[in-house]
Amino acid sequence: MQTVTYRPTTTDAPELLRWTGFGGALLLTAGAWAVSARLGAVALGVAIAGAGLVVLTWALLGRTRPDASWLRRTLAWWCGPLLVAPPLFSQDVFSYLAQGEVAANGLDPNVVSPAVGASAEAVARVGVYWRETPSPYGPLFSTVERAITGVTGGDPVAGIGLYRLAAVAGLLLIVWAVPRLAEMAGVRESAALWLGVMNPLVLWHLIGGVHNDALMLGLMLSGTVVALHALPELRWWQYTAGVVLIGLGAQVKLPALVALAVVGTALARRLGGGWVRLVASGLAMAAGFVVVSVVTSLAGQTGFGWVQALGTPSKVNSWMAPTNWPGYLAGAVFGPQTGQAMISSARIAGLVLILGAVVVLVGRQLRGRISEVTSLGLMMSVIVALGPVVQPWYLLWALVPLAACLPEGAWRNRAAVLAGVFALLVPPLAGNFAGRVPELVAAYVVGIALVGGAYLVLRRARVSVAQA
């Protein structure tokens, strides 16, 4: 009697997954353009299928063990189609364009909203929540916005292209930094690249969505690497360069600032430890940040309006933020005023818990109980989980450093599942689907059917039949 045995192939599976993922990126891009041309539910279904196909192939790729250079080349292939896609999953890049116009008009985008300082054409492209809201970003990114507007003259297509180039620059810094952080933490380079750099959230939101989080993360992580590599031999200029890079990351988005707590604690530990040295290094980090902030603000001629705009993102209630959930529940039971009061109280509690967690993690790092990379990943995780606003791409603040320190096992698998879920949480084309629910449901049915069929094909293609 003959039996049929299925065994995974070892040579062709990674290549098959590479090109299947590339096909998914192509489908996502083509479907997104078709949706922009108002071709209906089928076009949106194609885009959803493309996104699902990339998530599927990325998950299957995690079961193989290709080397780091192979993963970098695959990342380049998967990013390629997204470089020419319309803005995906979010319309934030249109806010960048409008804020750039405000800055180019000689106004402070951290004080003046797009509705007041930008052209009507630019304002019309901005999401309704942000038209009346000043920029929440730091002076470095405001300088980038003004420079891009100056080069493009306000042309949205050219502007999106330049913002994508800035996102690619940030991604290149991340690709450089993650393997070096993984080496410090004793994690395989390829495992860190797969989870931290190739995951679909990076593709969707840093490249497809053109978010400035790419610059923030790139500067923060590369600065952390430079500073930590300088400590064994106390190369002060190199360490200072690392601090400056982290400070520049915080001048894009403030959460990068926690990396200064990590490298400052590492410096205190290198100098002998103890709370006195920790306080001294903390004051030095604070002074370094102030100097970088002043120089960046003056050199970019942006002023210091960004300081009063730090709370801007929290003006919109984010349904993904756990600290807002009690308020939503209270609002449903007792009315909107009670709900908003509960949200405000929970946000204050969340900030207190974040500060407490950072103090605990700094103490553990100072005593050598956790590594610097682990400390950074956990601090960012607490900020994301307890912060007043959560967006799908905010998960990358924690996921990228955690990918460089989590050992293989349950926690790494949970992080991968979380990335996959968040990657499919919102439709590829951001927008208001109220009144278009049937179209959205039909699109997901089409997308799920296509991905299910692709999975069956992949399953057959990735096995060989041996007869005995």
Side-chain angles (χ1 to χ4, degrees):
M1 182 177 178
Q2 290 183 329
T3 60
V4 178
T5 305
Y6 296 96
R7 298 189 182 92
T9 61
T10 58
T11 57
D12 295 333
E15 287 298 319
L16 174 64
L17 293 175
R18 167 189 278 175
W19 298 116
T20 304
F22 176 71
L26 282 175
L27 277 179
L28 173 57
T29 299
W33 279 117
V35 171
S36 300
R38 302 184 183 278
L39 296 184
V42 173
L44 183 58
V46 169
I48 291 171
L53 199 56
V54 173
V55 174
L56 173 64
T57 52
W58 171 73
L60 294 175
L61 192 60
R63 301 179 182 180
T64 66
R65 287 181 175 257
D67 61 34
S69 61
W70 187 94
L71 288 172
R72 292 188 187 94
R73 291 194 299 272
T74 301
L75 175 66
W77 278 107
W78 289 9
C79 284
L82 301 180
L83 294 175
V84 295
L88 299 175
F89 298 94
S90 168
Q91 297 176 333
D92 278 9
V93 69
F94 295 113
S95 294
Y96 304 165
L97 291 168
Q99 290 157 10
E101 279 197 17
V102 173
N105 290 334
L107 303 171
D108 187 346
N110 297 117
V111 176
V112 178
S113 69
V116 175
S119 66
E121 182 182 359
V123 172
R125 292 189 290 263
V126 178
V128 293
Y129 291 114
W130 305 114
R131 291 177 183 176
E132 304 284 345
T133 307
S135 168
Y137 307 120
L140 176 60
F141 192 68
S142 295
T143 302
V144 171
E145 289 176 324
R146 186 178 62 191
I148 288 177
T149 299
V151 170
T152 64
D155 180 79
V157 176
I160 290 170
L162 289 181
Y163 280 114
R164 275 234 167 90
L165 287 180
V168 169
L171 180 58
L172 290 175
L173 288 174
I174 295 170
V175 171
W176 177 84
V178 165
R180 289 161 176 80
L181 293 172
E183 183 181 5
M184 296 178 192
V187 172
R188 281 191 303 116
E189 179 182 2
S190 58
L193 284 172
W194 173 77
L195 179 58
V197 179
M198 288 199 66
N199 82 73
L201 290 175
V202 169
L203 302 173
W204 293 178
H205 300 296
L206 301 192
I207 302 302
V210 210
H211 284 286
N212 57 8
D213 300 72
L215 274 179
M216 182 199 81
L217 283 168
L219 290 167
M220 179 190 77
L221 295 175
S222 59
T224 302
V225 170
V226 171
L228 294 180
H229 275 176
L231 285 179
E233 298 177 8
L234 283 179
R235 295 188 292 270
W236 290 107
W237 282 107
Q238 181 180 337
Y239 183 83
T240 302
V243 170
V244 169
L245 285 172
I246 295 171
L248 290 174
Q251 299 307 303
V252 177
K253 277 190 167 182
L254 195 65
L257 194 63
V258 298
L260 289 182
V262 172
V263 300
T265 304
L267 174 62
R269 180 172 167 78
R270 170 65 179 82
L271 295 176
W275 290 101
V276 173
R277 292 184 178 86
L278 177 64
V279 171
S281 65
L283 291 174
M285 295 303 101
F289 174 68
V290 170
V291 170
V292 171
S293 300
V294 171
V295 171
T296 307
S297 299
L298 295 179
Q301 300 178 348
T302 57
F304 297 91
W306 61 272
V307 176
Q308 69 186 59
L310 294 177
T312 296
S314 61
K315 293 180 179 179
V316 176
N317 293 336
S318 169
W319 66 268
M320 292 187 191
T323 52
N324 291 340
W325 295 347
Y328 284 129
L329 180 60
V333 176
F334 301 107
Q337 288 186 337
T338 302
Q340 189 58 51
M342 180 68 75
I343 287 175
S344 300
S345 300
R347 285 176 175 177
I348 294 172
L351 292 176
V352 171
L353 290 173
I354 288 172
L355 291 174
V358 168
V359 170
V360 170
L361 291 169
V362 163
R364 290 179 65 83
Q365 181 190 337
L366 185 66
R367 292 188 291 271
R369 295 182 180 178
I370 57 174
S371 71
E372 295 85 359
V373 185
T374 302
S375 180
L376 178 61
L378 292 177
M379 285 184 192
M380 279 298 194
S381 299
V382 171
I383 289 173
V384 172
L386 298 177
V389 179
V390 175
Q391 301 287 2
W393 53 94
Y394 286 13
L395 189 68
L396 292 172
W397 302 356
L399 185 61
V400 176
L402 286 176
C405 67
L406 285 177
E408 295 187 47
W411 281 107
R412 176 171 283 270
N413 293 337
R414 292 186 185 107
V417 169
L418 191 64
V421 169
F422 269 69
L424 299 173
L425 205 56
V426 294
L429 268 292
N432 185 2
F433 284 91
R436 297 168 56 197
V437 174
E439 176 185 338
L440 188 62
V441 171
Y444 269 98
V445 169
V446 171
I448 291 170
L450 290 174
V451 173
Y455 174 71
L456 294 177
V457 172
L458 281 173
R459 186 177 180 182
R460 285 182 172 275
R462 293 178 67 244
V463 298
S464 60
V465 179
Q467 293 184 343

